[in-house]
Amino acid sequence: REIAAARGPRRLREILVGDGTGTILMTLWGDQGEGIEDGDILNIENGYITLYRGSMRLSVGRYGSLNILVGEEFPEVNMDNNMSEKRYEGYKRRYKRRY
């Protein structure tokens, strides 16, 4: 989907990724993850978790990388533990006033 941003529209995609421990929604911006198809095995480096409206999301950001692995076997994915379906209380930032 397209998102209206201050610098113009941006493309946003969300995909469900997982391993033997569980699954989580992954947010992809712009051309990130171009060519990913259902069932592909991904190598994610320097990914990080954020909370969006109380739900966990996995992101790669500009310092991480996302690669599709070809010819790799992957064990069964645990679909029963979806971390994005759980609700979490977010960290509230406290801003210091500067005078």
Side-chain angles (χ1 to χ4, degrees):
R1 60 188 161 161
E2 293 287 325
I3 302 293
R7 296 182 180 152
R10 293 186 67 193
R11 186 169 152 196
L12 168 71
R13 290 183 285 173
E14 291 182 331
I15 61 172
L16 186 67
V17 296
D19 61 12
T21 62
T23 59
I24 190 167
L25 281 174
M26 181 173 190
T27 303
L28 302 170
W29 291 96
D31 294 335
Q32 280 184 330
E34 197 68 34
I36 293 176
E37 295 182 14
D38 191 27
D40 282 347
I41 298 173
L42 306 174
N43 181 40
I44 302 167
E45 293 184 15
N46 292 329
Y48 60 93
I49 300 294
T50 58
L51 285 181
Y52 176 70
R53 297 184 180 175
S55 176
M56 277 190 187
R57 297 290 196 268
L58 175 63
S59 298
V60 176
R62 70 177 67 155
Y63 301 111
S65 65
L66 174 67
N67 299 307
I68 300 171
L69 300 178
V70 179
E72 293 284 327
E73 294 280 330
F74 196 79
E76 191 170 325
V77 175
N78 180 0
M79 298 296 284
D80 296 328
N81 185 23
N82 186 337
M83 300 303 291
S84 294
E85 287 181 347
K86 299 174 183 173
R87 295 290 170 231
Y88 304 89
E89 192 171 318
Y91 171 75
K92 305 223 185 222
R93 295 182 184 173
R94 297 181 186 193
Y95 297 98
K96 294 182 181 179
R97 291 185 182 179
R98 296 182 187 199
Y99 298 98

